[in-house]
Amino acid sequence: LVADYGYAPDAPLRVPLTVVYGGRDAELGRAEVQGWCHETVGPTTFHEIADADHLFGGAAWLELAKAVGAGLG
């Protein structure tokens, strides 16, 4: 699925965006996910889950669920 993915720029979304990333992610950190703010004209909130890796394994799932719930208000 992701092997053939290629980003195609489009008009920004008109909704708030919550970006969640893992503090122990060896692939992506805050600098790499910062680009998401260009994908919306609404506010962008960044939430780091300190003990999470790239796939939010183990106990990080609960923190991920909380972050998503908070983003939905």
Side-chain angles (χ1 to χ4, degrees):
L1 177 66
V2 296
D4 295 329
Y5 174 77
Y7 175 76
D10 206 342
L13 302 169
R14 297 185 171 278
V15 296
L17 187 62
T18 300
V19 179
V20 184
Y21 62 100
R24 294 185 349 189
D25 188 335
E27 299 177 44
L28 300 171
R30 175 63 186 254
E32 290 80 15
V33 299
Q34 187 69 33
W36 279 101
C37 67
H38 303 293
E39 300 300 327
T40 185
V41 295
T44 304
T45 303
F46 293 89
H47 184 87
E48 178 183 313
I49 298 178
D51 291 329
D53 59 14
H54 191 71
L55 298 177
F56 298 92
W61 277 104
L62 180 56
E63 292 302 314
L64 176 60
K66 289 178 184 177
V68 170
L72 292 173

